Amino acid sequence: MSFDFIYVPAQLTPTQTLADILLKQQAISQEVYDQIKTEQVNTGLEQEEIIRQKGLVKDKSLLFAKAELNQLPFVDIKQTGINPQAMSFLPQAVAQRFIVFPYAYDSVQKTLSVVMADPLDVTTLDFLEKKSQCKVVPAFGVPDDIKEVISEKYTQGLSTEVEAAVKDVTQTTNRVLDENSINDVIREAPIAKIVATLLTFAIKSLASDIHIEPLEDRTRVRYRIDGILHEKLVLPKNVHEAVISRIKILAEMKIDEKRLPQDGRFTFRANDEEVDLRVSSLPSVHGEKIVMRLLKKTGNVPTLQDLGLRGRALKNLEEAIHTPHGVILVTGPTGSGKTTTLYSLLNQINSSKVNIITLEDPVEYEMEGINQVQINTTAGLTFASGLRSILRQDPNIIMVGEIRDTETADLCIHAALTGHLVFSTLHTNSASGALPRLTDMEVEPFLLASSINCIVGQRVVRKICPHCKEAFTPPRELVDNLRTVLGPLFQQYDRPGLQLYRGRRCPECNDTGYQGRIGIFEVMHVNEKIGMLTVSSAVTSEVEKVAIENGMITMKLDGYLKALEGVTTIEEVLRVAET
């Protein structure tokens, strides 16, 4: 079985030693290599003992080299998906006593894959085989990581909760499932419990998406938490079809249609929290893949300050949304929080005195007092056709989920010119790229210049975990870079002993160092100068240069300022905002 984050060594040359491998892996320099060889000749000690005594290599690098020397895999157990069926073969007491953790099980070969602090201990291996009644496949792992995973997975982890259900359902799913028997299996308690546990864990861990992906020999479950996918669970292949069918029935999708993509949705409640789930199925080589997007029904829409807007950017945006007519655009790639920003803007100006109508695909949050319309392309309700109908509904404010084509762009511009305030999103990399993009969509430049009020560019960055946050002194090169990039904005932070912040990593943040997210923004007020550049079809760089001269702070600079304030890290800002 091949898992992600598992290193399987290549064939070893018979004469290679531990020091040779460390040198090849660039874990030590030639000078340290010569030192180890000389010490071995002079003292007669083993190379590993010399390395440990002198602390020449980090523990993880040493274990990595030992894995290659002994032709065994090395497993980063904290990054590997866990098969709950594997955990059922060894009790927690055994795992803790021998510092071993079972992470995979092959039901065909009857092999149990375990990561161990000492996989060369033959006595322990014999005991594990007798205890599990399986052929044990050992692998090297970092002892502290193994202990942490044992504590987490056996006591409160997702794997433990699914383990019993998988065990119960394995017998029933060993038979061939046809269209008649599949309906019986998916209604059985174990399958229902697996699906409910996957959803409950997603809500508890604040995940935005769940990916259920069939691979050749297993099904992996990944959660998108704070924008990053984490593999949390591995299910046996023989439960995949029943789990997928259970989800499809909940989402009112056709369980017998496996050749075409489908969409559906349902509501789930756990821990007094209710979420809407948008479900998408996609046929793949090894079976159907399901992705579920979680949309909270409970909880308030965040304010603009909660999102991370402040200072001049916030002031310009608030002025723009209180203008009676014009277009306000929010730009950024998929997953950058554009829709959330639109909802925050609408929530701020929502009142009984204005008629607000939205066109969305799909409706992500239901907002009281706002008329929300779901796009239905199969029935002929598109953004363009819906916008035409909306204009006959006496609206004051219109929100169009996304400008995707020239027709929708033209209608938005003309709606603004006839006295409506229009909000929409556009897929561009920056605020200054929106105007040239609309010009490329064949919207008349002079109409853009007179109708666009404000353009927001945004990304989302992960916030430093408050539970393990620590200060550190940045290297001089980084401080010099911050001083150069930020210019006058750096003056209030430019002092001796400047400190930045990071997360040490802890169980509260899933060992990432981050918890929660916040936006970094650039808000471009479209004034007369920028309007003239639009009419002359100026390129993005020219528009951005003038916007900065007018006082716009770019997303990257906004991110750097948030890093200096201890909200996020420089690395996180560069991950999403480096161009």
Side-chain angles (χ1 to χ4, degrees):
M1 285 181 131
S2 61
F3 282 72
D4 292 339
F5 304 106
I6 297 178
Y7 166 74
V8 180
Q11 194 63 39
L12 189 70
T13 305
T15 56
Q16 277 189 310
T17 65
L18 189 61
D20 292 327
I21 295 167
L22 286 167
L23 182 64
K24 184 184 76 173
Q25 294 175 350
Q26 299 182 341
I28 58 173
S29 64
Q30 183 66 48
E31 185 181 348
V32 173
Y33 172 82
D34 295 337
Q35 181 186 345
I36 293 169
K37 287 286 192 179
T38 305
E39 192 83 12
Q40 186 180 17
V41 172
N42 292 338
T43 62
L45 294 172
E46 294 290 332
Q47 288 184 0
E48 183 179 349
E49 194 173 346
I50 295 166
I51 292 165
R52 288 191 183 279
Q53 280 182 1
K54 295 185 174 295
L56 299 174
V57 179
K58 290 181 179 179
D59 286 347
K60 190 169 184 177
S61 299
L62 183 59
L63 288 168
F64 203 76
K66 281 182 70 178
E68 183 161 332
L69 182 68
N70 293 281
Q71 290 293 278
L72 288 173
F74 175 87
V75 176
D76 187 346
I77 193 61
K78 294 180 82 172
Q79 300 295 331
T80 303
I82 308 301
N83 185 335
Q85 194 176 2
M87 291 176 59
S88 65
F89 287 96
L90 293 178
Q92 184 177 0
V94 171
Q96 287 175 328
R97 180 183 170 191
F98 296 103
I99 314 179
V100 302
F101 187 82
Y103 63 90
Y105 174 66
D106 188 331
S107 57
V108 177
Q109 302 292 332
K110 301 290 183 187
T111 57
L112 183 69
S113 298
V114 298
V115 58
M116 305 174 64
D118 184 8
L120 305 178
D121 186 342
V122 179
T123 306
T124 299
L125 286 172
D126 286 342
F127 175 80
L128 295 177
E129 290 195 343
K130 288 175 184 174
K131 186 74 179 174
S132 64
Q133 297 294 302
C134 299
K135 170 68 177 170
V136 171
V137 180
F140 277 92
V142 179
D144 287 345
D145 288 355
I146 297 171
K147 290 176 186 175
E148 191 175 324
V149 170
I150 290 169
S151 173
E152 178 191 337
K153 298 295 182 183
Y154 274 103
T155 54
Q156 60 191 14
L158 173 63
S159 302
T160 307
E161 297 177 34
V162 175
E163 179 188 324
V166 170
K167 211 170 183 179
D168 289 344
V169 83
T170 299
Q171 281 73 36
T172 53
T173 52
N174 278 335
R175 65 180 184 269
V176 177
L177 297 175
D178 55 31
E179 288 184 15
N180 298 319
S181 61
I182 188 73
N183 289 320
D184 298 328
V185 172
I186 60 179
R187 287 179 173 83
E188 289 172 358
I191 289 295
K193 184 179 179 184
I194 289 172
V195 173
T197 305
L198 294 178
L199 298 174
T200 303
F201 183 84
I203 293 170
K204 191 170 84 172
S205 58
L206 303 177
S208 61
D209 301 84
I210 308 170
H211 292 238
I212 302 175
E213 302 168 312
L215 303 178
E216 186 178 0
D217 54 0
R218 70 198 193 278
T219 293
R220 71 174 176 182
V221 181
R222 296 193 291 173
Y223 292 84
R224 191 175 293 281
I225 302 170
D226 293 336
I228 306 293
L229 278 172
H230 299 271
E231 186 176 333
K232 289 293 184 182
L233 189 67
V234 175
L235 294 172
K237 187 70 174 178
N238 57 1
V239 304
H240 176 81
E241 196 170 334
V243 168
I244 295 298
S245 296
R246 171 71 179 170
I247 293 167
K248 287 171 80 172
I249 278 187
L250 291 171
E252 298 182 349
M253 296 155 69
K254 297 176 182 176
I255 64 169
D256 57 341
E257 178 56 81
K258 300 174 184 178
R259 300 166 301 167
L260 296 173
Q262 293 186 69
D263 293 310
R265 65 190 306 163
F266 66 96
T267 300
F268 182 77
R269 190 177 186 86
N271 306 325
D272 296 325
E273 196 163 354
E274 197 171 327
V275 294
D276 265 337
L277 290 111
R278 272 172 31 209
V279 183
S280 170
S281 72
L282 184 72
S284 72
V285 175
H286 299 297
E288 284 185 283
K289 176 187 175 183
I290 288 276
V291 174
M292 292 183 277
R293 166 65 59 89
L294 282 77
L295 304 166
K296 283 188 180 179
K297 293 186 78 172
T298 50
N300 298 321
V301 176
T303 65
L304 295 176
Q305 290 89 339
D306 291 337
L307 295 179
L309 278 155
R310 68 225 176 131
R312 185 164 181 174
L314 177 62
K315 182 174 178 289
N316 285 342
L317 188 53
E318 285 182 331
E319 283 178 2
I321 65 176
H322 288 102
T323 305
H325 54 82
V327 178
I328 295 169
L329 291 174
V330 181
T331 71
T334 302
S336 59
K338 300 188 295 295
T339 306
T340 303
T341 301
L342 284 182
Y343 281 124
S344 297
L345 293 171
L346 290 178
N347 194 53
Q348 187 150 330
I349 55 177
N350 184 20
S351 76
S352 59
K353 296 179 181 179
V354 291
N355 179 21
I356 303 176
I357 306 179
T358 73
L359 272 173
E360 304 174 60
D361 184 22
V363 174
E364 294 195 9
Y365 299 93
E366 291 181 15
M367 298 181 69
E368 191 175 344
I370 292 178
N371 306 287
Q372 295 173 272
V373 179
Q374 167 79 51
I375 292 299
N376 187 345
T377 50
T378 55
L381 178 55
T382 62
F383 281 121
S385 64
L387 194 46
R388 285 195 187 89
S389 301
I390 280 177
L391 291 171
R392 294 192 287 272
Q393 289 283 318
D394 186 31
N396 299 103
I397 298 162
I398 301 167
M399 192 266 267
V400 179
E402 184 184 344
I403 294 176
R404 295 178 180 171
D405 51 49
T406 302
E407 188 179 11
T408 308
D410 276 330
L411 286 167
C412 286
I413 297 300
H414 283 98
L417 292 171
T418 53
H420 303 91
L421 183 59
V422 181
F423 295 87
S424 192
T425 70
L426 193 65
H427 284 276
T428 61
N429 289 328
S430 63
S432 50
L435 293 170
R437 173 71 188 279
L438 288 168
T439 305
D440 291 341
M441 293 173 77
E442 299 180 357
V443 179
E444 292 291 348
F446 70 91
L447 294 178
L448 290 175
S450 55
S451 61
I452 306 282
N453 291 348
C454 185
I455 304 171
V456 180
Q458 70 176 76
R459 300 286 190 279
V460 284
V461 294
R462 293 178 291 172
K463 294 195 291 185
I464 298 170
C465 172
H467 304 283
C468 61
K469 185 175 179 179
E470 66 175 7
F472 71 98
T473 303
R476 185 176 175 181
E477 300 79 32
L478 178 56
V479 176
D480 290 342
N481 177 253
L482 288 170
R483 187 178 290 113
T484 303
V485 173
L486 288 169
L489 296 171
F490 188 67
Q491 288 178 1
Q492 59 179 310
Y493 304 99
D494 197 358
R495 57 184 179 271
L498 171 68
Q499 290 190 315
L500 293 177
Y501 297 86
R502 62 190 172 201
R504 284 192 311 275
R505 302 187 176 190
C506 67
E508 291 288 337
C509 59
N510 194 34
D511 199 44
T512 62
Y514 298 97
Q515 191 177 67
R517 291 193 289 175
I518 196 168
I520 55 173
F521 297 88
E522 56 188 29
V523 177
M524 186 174 80
H525 172 58
V526 181
N527 59 13
E528 189 178 342
K529 276 188 180 179
I530 292 173
M532 289 171 64
L533 286 174
T534 306
V535 172
S536 62
S537 299
V539 295
T540 300
S541 56
E542 292 178 33
V543 176
E544 183 173 72
K545 183 181 176 184
V546 172
I548 291 170
E549 288 172 0
N550 290 340
M552 181 183 84
I553 294 175
T554 65
M555 283 182 283
K556 186 176 177 181
L557 297 191
D558 187 36
Y560 275 16
L561 293 172
K562 286 183 168 77
L564 285 166
E565 292 164 9
V567 177
T568 187
T569 63
I570 297 292
E571 293 80 8
E572 185 66 8
V573 174
L574 293 175
R575 180 179 71 84
V576 302
E578 185 69 289
T579 55

